[in-house]
Amino acid sequence: MNKIIFLLFLFFLFRNVRAQDAVVIKFDKLQELMQTKTNEIQVINFWATWCAPCVKELPLFEQLRTDNKKGDVKITLINLDFADKVNKVNAFLVKKKIQSSVLLLDEIDYNTWIDKVDQSWGGAIPATLIINPQNGKRKFVERELREGELEQLIEDVR
């Protein structure tokens, strides 16, 4: 009986530690996210499992999520793997213990939507868009972020 109680305890303790599953979306849902009027600063990172610099910077977003005690920053990771690879992406999220919200963008014709994210975006990843819906300030970075840069970019849009 004690073993069952212990196992149930572990289940409830660790069920919230499980990585998020990627949700497959079309661009219109991403556009809604970018245009949502909220009190939270939106941090939107574009990445792929096959992109080494993308994978290298993911811990920065996870750390920001953990450190966001005020709850005034929302992090969304936009995965650019093919939609039919969602199971591979989900396995990656579990392996890397990613807790941030992950959306898999099912739009393979990048030229139809890249300019709508940011006019300066040449299409390279990783890329990060930071939006403050309260004052309209935006920052866009088309490269791998280094430690401390993400927090500075957020301060720049406050």
Side-chain angles (χ1 to χ4, degrees), residues 17-78:
V17 177
R18 186 181 180 282
Q20 301 293 321
D21 283 339
V23 175
V24 179
I25 62 165
K26 291 293 189 180
F27 182 76
D28 61 332
K29 295 297 179 192
L30 173 58
Q31 203 161 26
E32 280 178 31
L33 174 68
M34 293 187 307
Q35 296 171 350
T36 299
K37 294 295 182 193
T38 177
N39 292 331
E40 299 170 310
I41 291 176
Q42 301 284 333
V43 176
I44 303 170
N45 177 257
F46 297 86
W47 68 287
T49 60
W50 45 263
C51 167
C54 300
V55 172
K56 185 178 174 187
E57 75 174 6
L58 283 176
L60 299 177
F61 296 97
E62 286 299 288
Q63 188 62 51
L64 177 63
R65 184 192 59 77
T66 302
D67 293 346
N68 184 29
K69 303 297 184 217
K70 290 190 243 176
D72 63 343
V73 176
K74 181 179 180 194
I75 301 156
T76 307
L77 305 175
I78 306 296

Side-chain angles (χ1 to χ4, degrees), residues 37-134:
K37 294 295 182 193
T38 177
N39 292 331
E40 299 170 310
I41 291 176
Q42 301 284 333
V43 176
I44 303 170
N45 177 257
F46 297 86
W47 68 287
T49 60
W50 45 263
C51 167
C54 300
V55 172
K56 185 178 174 187
E57 75 174 6
L58 283 176
L60 299 177
F61 296 97
E62 286 299 288
Q63 188 62 51
L64 177 63
R65 184 192 59 77
T66 302
D67 293 346
N68 184 29
K69 303 297 184 217
K70 290 190 243 176
D72 63 343
V73 176
K74 181 179 180 194
I75 301 156
T76 307
L77 305 175
I78 306 296
N79 180 269
L80 299 179
D81 287 44
F82 291 118
D84 64 349
K85 303 292 184 196
V86 68
N87 290 335
K88 175 187 170 195
V89 172
N90 288 336
F92 176 91
L93 298 175
V94 169
K95 179 180 175 184
K96 297 292 185 180
K97 298 180 177 123
I98 303 297
Q99 296 289 306
S100 297
S101 173
V102 179
L103 304 175
L104 192 156
L105 186 59
D106 185 18
E107 296 285 354
I108 56 175
D109 186 3
Y110 302 113
N111 293 323
T112 62
W113 58 268
I114 283 178
D115 287 346
K116 294 175 185 173
V117 172
D118 195 87
Q119 289 289 323
S120 69
W121 191 8
I125 55 174
T128 303
L129 174 63
I130 301 172
I131 305 167
N132 184 335
Q134 295 300 304

